[in-house]
Amino acid sequence: MTIGLFIPCYVDQFYPKAAIATLELLEKQGLQVVYPFNQTCCGQPMANSGFAHLTQGCNNLFMQNFKDVDYIVSPSGSCVLHIKDHLHAENAADEPVAHHIRKRIYELTEFLTDILKIENLKARFPYKVGMHQSCHGQRGLKISQMSELVAEPFSKPEKLLRMVEDLELIELSRKDECCGFGGTFCVTEEAISAKMGKDRVKDHLEHGAEFITGADMSCLMHLEGILRRQKSKVQVKHIAEILNSYA
Amino acid sequence: MPKTIAEHPALADKFNQDEERVNWHDQTLWWVRAKRDKAAHTLPEWEELRNLASQIKHNVLANLSEYLIQFEENALKNGIQVHWAADAQEHNAIVKSILQKQGVSQLVKSKSMLTEECHLNEYLQQEGIEVIDTDLGERIVQLAEEPPSHIVLPCIHKKKEEIGELFHLHLGTPAGNADPDFLTAAARLHLREKFLTRKIAITGVNFAIAETGEFVVCTNEGNADMGAHLAEVHIACMGIEKLIPLRRHLGVFLRLLTRSATGQPITTYSSHFKKPRPGQEMHIVLVDNGRSRQLGRKDFRNSLKCIRCGACMNTCPVYRRSGGHSYHNAIAGPIGSILAPNLNMKDYADLPFASTLCGSCTNVCPVKIDIHDQLYKWRQVLVQEGYAPAAKKAAMQGMAFTFSHPAFYRMAGKTGKWFMKTTPFVINNNLNPWFKQRDMPEPPKESFHDWYKKNRQQNGHA
Amino acid sequence: MVMHSREKILDAVKRNQPENTSLPAIPFFEQPFTDLAQKFSEVVQAIGGEVHPVSSYAQINTILKEEFGNKTIFTSAKELTELVDTGITYANAHAFADLELAVVEAHLAVAENGAVWVTEDLLQERALPFIAQHLALIIHPENIVPTMHDAYAKIGTLDYGFATFIAGPSKTADIEQSLVLGAHGPKSLLVFLLTK
């Protein structure tokens, strides 16, 4: 089984540690992981801004990069959702490739939970951690149950975090409120975006978080921006880094 | 080239100048959302009810012309006069003609978002006709000369002290009294006099039933009933999408509506108007105003399933922090943002972008409208129709080029440099909105790409 | 002109209608409660009403006398009219403007939401249950059904001019979400559960 590692552009550029942790976590499971060098971006920033018609170049590139692997795994729910929902081929002849990719792409925590079905991890992280449920992973990929629905609760990321020794998962007042990043929303609607981010940070701080984690680095980048501006000691850490650490 | 309007961000920014107020607004609406959750969780069949409601509404959309004809036929048999209005203008003209026939220049009106959409109040005022809104929240915003900011909670943006001040000015209550009980009692007296003296009452319609030719109006205050039963003429105004096929379908919708709206098990009054009372005139105005056009938009027709509960507003993290007026449309919030561009793409091109696409709206919607997917789809339509700002278009084209050319991306992107310069959310410049309230991550020594080359070269796929 | 819009709208709607799908059957939903009168009473109280189990109209009259003394009462409930001297003659609903209490007998009630179903023939005047300062409803426990689906199954395609579900006293929360009873309609609701 060959796993294609998909590292979103901004993770590649700003958060290589999250990418390394993802790679190492997968390798620890005895998987063969390849990282196609020609990857850039899934195209979501354009598509969510209304420019989906400009994303065919990204689509073509993505298909070239990942057409030969069995699974594609990525430490970003949002980018995975975009590929799942919107990747399509330029020509009908290539559509089976696009279909294969859409079916075989997984966000890291759902891959560990649903495909590898891992039940334990050798990880230790002796801190109070707040879990930020990123909307696209949660409501799009359904990696955890949504508070709006009358349905059995579950959370794939939390299930993994509970395998980590000495990690204390804190409760939040609003367990799945959006952080306000929203791609280009964060600058086109700066006032609301920043306010949403501040409120999300506040919920974590009020409940004693020492770290804020999540399955989507973009939300964490936004929350980190707020924390740093507030000179807070609280840090953000991608869930892969926690699951891959033995502190 | 069409001009681009970007009003929501500016109006939201203004609303956010007073952070304490934003917190209060957010918490008040979140409390309503929490009540909704609690009410929904008392019914194990909740999700199944949502499915049923959505399916019934789909059948309505698929057979709307037939149901309209059936409804008209039955309503006429019941002695109701039926009018058809192609647009807002015609709706207003029909209402005026009924008033003129009666020789009446004063009326009471219970809450009707359709008449807000048609700007009936302004129209009638210009014609010298006095309209008194009788829903307490609507009366408050009417006194303040503002539109409602929420379809169910019209004055949710107002603090009680401001309402006390309005009542002091207009109703003569003592200055400084902001007690909700006291103010409601004052409004009761003030409006009772109107109910007893006005000869014409306008109401909205929550559901109209094809099978029986009757319509249902839901209120907690009893204002629609007070108006309609004491007036000589009752005019009910409704969008054509308010039809449901059978009376027993009310069982599904009435179970969902108020639990979704306020968390109550049902509104205090769910009144079924089937025939005028002896000596009374009853009119129904069936209004299209763009609905048949929206019906033809495959991606957006589901928006016509809306039963106006307001749950999507209460749950929307953007609505809660930007206030209803920032949507500059009769219907605010997520549902308003997918209805408005159908009415006028140019004026409402900003609204589908006033969302993070978090999807909470879709999950609370009692008729399962795919609201956030429609927001995404409207963005594509609006850009294709030329309503994107030129600068944004240029940035997107630059991004598309870079991301399609890995070599260029590598060169440009030496550990964050390209991002810092080009990506809209991280332009490294203090004029960039990102930096107003946030810091950027520190660019690392090397990108993952470079790290990988060094450490795992053997696995790399060039 | 009116006909013109009618045809125009119907034509546009017909042209734009999606492909047909059939109406779903509404299944039976088992409720977590079995004692309908108890559930109904709990909900009525939760939404601001007051419930009195009684065994005769005379007992209702006694309670009304205790609570309303000599204030004006009007009832449309036949079996109560002999007991309650209304002293009201009326030409139209406006005559009820100063009515303190209206007493109405109801057809059926719904346990899940405390709603009580009243049709025009039981009201004499449509405005009656809205215009009075206070309202009392009489319901027989055997006429309580579990849910709204059951209520509409009983109502069927019954003909009426006007009918309404009443759940609790008139209320508003328009001022800062503070709940206030007695917006425009009755400030209080008494429900008599009459077992014979």
Side-chain angles (χ1 to χ4, degrees), chain A residues 13 37 40 47-48 148 189 195, chain B residues 8 23 360 380 403 413 416 461:
Chain A
Q13 298 285 308
F37 276 155
T40 58
N48 281 3
E148 301 90 2
E189 290 268 10
K195 177 62 181 150
Chain B
H8 185 272
N23 291 341
S360 186
Q380 313 307 324
F403 289 143
H461 283 205

Side-chain angles (χ1 to χ4, degrees), chain A residues 12-13 27 37 39-40 47-48 50 52 147-148 150 174 177 186 189-190 193 195 199 222 225 229, chain B residues 8 19 23 33 36 47 320-321 360 363 379-380 403 410 413 416 435 437-439 449 456 461:
Chain A
D12 171 50
Q13 298 285 308
E27 287 174 341
F37 276 155
Q39 54 184 293
T40 58
N48 281 3
S147 62
E148 301 90 2
V150 177
R174 300 184 187 180
E177 174 105 315
C186 75
E189 290 268 10
E190 183 274 335
S193 174
K195 177 62 181 150
D199 288 355
H222 169 61
R229 181 62 57 93
Chain B
H8 185 272
E19 190 167 2
N23 291 341
R33 148 87 204 260
R36 172 259 169 219
E47 301 301 333
R320 277 187 263 111
R321 290 174 183 82
S360 186
N363 278 349
R379 293 178 183 188
Q380 313 307 324
F403 289 143
R410 290 292 147 221
F435 285 95
Q437 304 183 63
R438 287 164 291 212
D439 284 359
H449 185 96
R456 299 284 196 286
H461 283 205

Side-chain angles (χ1 to χ4, degrees), chain C residues 62-124:
Chain C
T62 309
I63 294 171
L64 292 180
K65 281 271 169 312
E66 277 168 21
E67 295 210 10
F68 290 90
N70 292 324
K71 288 176 178 157
T72 52
I73 300 179
F74 182 87
T75 180
S76 58
K78 273 196 204 94
E79 296 180 64
L80 205 58
T81 36
E82 289 164 23
L83 299 168
V84 177
D85 178 18
T86 69
I88 292 181
T89 52
Y90 68 98
N92 59 36
H94 290 71
F96 293 119
D98 298 318
L99 182 66
E100 190 67 14
L101 174 74
V103 189
V104 172
E105 186 146 5
H107 289 292
L108 76 112
V110 185
E112 68 161 322
N113 57 19
V116 177
W117 173 250
V118 185
T119 53
E120 189 170 23
D121 56 307
L122 298 175
L123 294 174
Q124 297 192 19

Side-chain angles (χ1 to χ4, degrees), chain B residues 31-64:
Chain B
W31 184 62
V32 183
R33 148 87 204 260
K35 286 196 296 179
R36 172 259 169 219
D37 288 352
K38 212 174 146 206
H41 278 87
T42 60
L43 298 189
E45 63 264 36
W46 183 257
E47 301 301 333
E48 202 176 343
L49 283 174
R50 291 176 68 219
N51 272 329
L52 287 170
S54 186
Q55 286 166 17
I56 294 167
K57 280 284 185 178
H58 191 275
N59 174 273
V60 169
L61 298 183
N63 299 280
L64 188 55

